């Protein structure tokens, strides 16, 4: 009888599991680490959805889009979380994403510093920050204040590949936006500073923390992690005057077999339950300010005049030219 009861219990548990709908969310690797937002987001959403939320890591942001494009209509993803506004036009061109149908008013400043405007019908923002080179104040007391000063120094840097990483693509667009036709010349001058180019942010920042380079391309909010979580005030973001913004987004896959759950997840993503997790797990600014605001010790956004961003629909053309310049300069 004990064996029969056990077998019956296993059968019932299997039937319940089989009846639980699964929502599959593709995202970048660092989102689902033990220290990232993934575990807490999964627990909070599953508490209200009656579903099994399964995250699938797919490298960094640009690699994430490449995977979805490769899989096409056969993709198992219901939601893709971790693209940014430098990739949304390219992602929209795939025809793989469905309109979110939401009225979105994020607390994300646009290039003019005005928050609350969001017109993208396919993608919903969930966090944002500015790209910056992070350094150790105890090892680099006089950091560069511009790309030119960096190029003229012997300071070593590690950066991310713009073909696989959204920070890498952001750096490419940052340089292009600042230097225009002179961007390739600047990359040639920076080539000697670059220790290595990594596939994604995690590898680059890990090399910096291991002492393999003086600076790493990261975010103005990265030092907040060390200051708030580790009580370590040794890290800082070098001020280069104007900094390129990144707004990270998620979208529903058109061919999802769980469209209602996908919609529910996108709505949950804008809620206080999700947004309050962002500052101290993803170490970015929340796209929708939680009711309790930013954590104590978290840095404030830059003044609007110091932010810059190329309009998403202009990125594909500029990216092609900027990438060729980057490849030529670093191959010499």
């Amino acid at each position: 009888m004990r064996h029969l009861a056990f077998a019956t219990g296993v059968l019932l548990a299997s039937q319940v599991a089989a009846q639980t709908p699964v929502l599959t969310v593709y995202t970048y690797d660092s989102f689902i680490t033990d220290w990232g937002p993934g575990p807490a987001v999964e627990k909070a959403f599953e508490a209200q959805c009656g579903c099994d939320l399964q995250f699938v890591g797919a490298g960094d942001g640009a690699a994430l889009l490449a995977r979805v494009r490769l899989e096409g209509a056969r993709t198992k993803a219901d939601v893709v979380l971790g693209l940014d506004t430098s990739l949304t036009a390219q992602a929209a061109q795939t025809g793989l994403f469905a309109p979110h149908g939401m009225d979105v008013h994020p607390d994300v400043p646009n290039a003019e510093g005005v928050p609350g405007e969001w017109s993208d019908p396919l993608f919903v923002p969930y966090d944002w920050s500015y790209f910056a080179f992070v350094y150790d104040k105890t090892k680099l007391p006089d950091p560069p204040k511009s790309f030119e000063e960096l190029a003229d120094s012997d300071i070593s840097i590690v950066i991310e590949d713009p073909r696989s990483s959204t920070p890498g693509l952001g750096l490419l667009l940052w340089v292009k936006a600042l230097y225009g036709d002179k961007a390739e010349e600047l990359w040639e001058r920076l080539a000697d500073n670059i220790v290595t180019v990594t596939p994604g942010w995690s590898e680059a920042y890990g090399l910096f923390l291991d002492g393999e380079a003086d600076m790493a391309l990261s975010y103005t909010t990265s030092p907040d992690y060390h200051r708030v979580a580790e009580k370590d005030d040794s890290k800082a973001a070098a001020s280069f005057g104007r900094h390129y913004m990144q707004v990270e987004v998620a979208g529903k896959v058109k061919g999802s077999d769980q469209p209602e759950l996908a919609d529910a997840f996108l709505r949950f993503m804008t809620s206080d339950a999700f947004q309050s997790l962002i500052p101290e797990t993803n170490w970015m600014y929340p796209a929708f300010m939680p009711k309790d605001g930013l954590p104590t010790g978290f840095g404030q956004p830059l003044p609007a005049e110091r932010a810059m961003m190329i309009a998403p629909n202009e990125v594909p053309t500029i990216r092609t030219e900027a990438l060729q310049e980057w490849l030529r300069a670093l191959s010499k």
Side-chain angles (χ1 to χ4, degrees), residues 7-319:
T8 302
V10 171
L11 178 61
L12 289 173
S14 300
Q15 289 174 338
V16 170
Q19 293 169 357
T20 302
V22 175
L23 182 73
T24 302
V25 177
Y26 282 11
T27 187
Y28 48 79
D29 291 344
S30 63
F31 193 90
I32 53 176
T33 57
D34 290 342
W35 43 265
V41 168
E42 180 179 353
K43 182 179 179 181
F45 186 62
E46 287 183 346
Q48 63 177 256
C49 72
C51 69
D52 179 9
L53 171 58
Q54 296 185 1
F55 284 116
V56 176
D60 213 338
L64 175 61
L65 177 57
R67 173 167 174 173
V68 174
R69 293 180 67 176
L70 182 64
E71 294 178 348
R74 298 176 290 103
T75 185
K76 294 180 180 179
D78 298 300
V79 172
V80 177
L81 180 152
L83 307 179
D84 70 6
T85 47
S86 295
L87 290 172
T88 50
Q90 193 177 346
Q93 290 170 359
T94 66
L96 295 171
F97 292 91
H100 52 70
M102 297 169 59
D103 189 15
V104 181
H105 297 283
D107 299 309
V108 180
N110 60 27
E112 287 73 44
V114 180
E117 298 177 2
W118 190 261
S119 58
D120 192 320
L122 298 181
F123 299 99
V124 180
Y126 64 91
D127 69 14
W128 65 283
S129 189
Y130 313 90
F131 294 117
F133 283 98
V134 174
Y135 66 100
D136 188 323
K137 292 186 287 186
T138 67
K139 299 177 180 177
L140 191 63
D142 188 22
K145 298 179 180 59
S146 66
F147 283 106
E148 291 94 333
E149 285 191 15
L150 175 59
D152 290 339
S153 74
D154 59 359
I155 294 170
S156 59
I157 60 174
V158 56
I159 64 173
E160 298 85 350
D161 192 326
R163 295 166 293 185
S164 57
S165 164
T166 51
L169 178 57
L171 176 60
L172 192 77
L173 297 173
W174 187 9
V175 170
K176 188 64 177 174
L178 282 175
Y179 296 95
D181 293 341
K182 302 292 185 183
E184 184 170 349
E185 182 179 314
L186 181 81
W187 281 117
E188 290 174 356
R189 293 173 58 195
L190 286 171
D192 289 345
N193 301 89
I194 300 172
V195 174
T196 190
V197 178
T198 64
W201 174 87
S202 298
E203 299 93 332
Y205 207 70
L207 288 172
F208 161 68
L209 293 178
D210 288 342
E212 298 296 327
D214 297 318
M215 308 174 84
L217 191 278
S218 190
Y219 299 90
T220 57
T221 44
S222 297
D224 293 328
Y225 163 74
H226 301 285
R227 186 167 50 252
V228 174
E230 298 182 330
K231 310 304 180 189
D232 173 8
D233 192 36
S234 65
K235 309 299 187 298
S239 177
F240 275 22
R242 301 186 71 191
H243 289 254
Y244 200 86
M245 285 181 62
Q246 181 187 44
V247 182
E248 294 192 300
V249 302
K252 179 177 72 172
V253 175
K254 185 184 294 183
S256 168
D257 58 2
Q258 297 290 346
E260 291 82 10
L261 271 178
D263 288 337
F265 182 80
L266 292 182
R267 290 193 297 272
F268 172 74
M269 198 180 70
T270 67
S271 71
D272 205 76
F274 182 106
Q275 292 292 308
S276 62
L277 296 170
I278 289 298
E280 293 187 281
T281 55
N282 223 28
W283 299 97
M284 301 278 280
Y285 295 112
F288 303 85
M289 187 60 70
K291 58 181 174 53
D292 292 333
L294 294 173
T296 301
F298 210 88
Q300 294 298 311
L302 297 175
E305 63 272 17
R306 294 186 57 195
M308 60 191 310
M309 185 166 64
I310 296 171
N313 63 343
E314 297 177 12
V315 169
T317 301
I318 294 173
R319 174 189 178 276

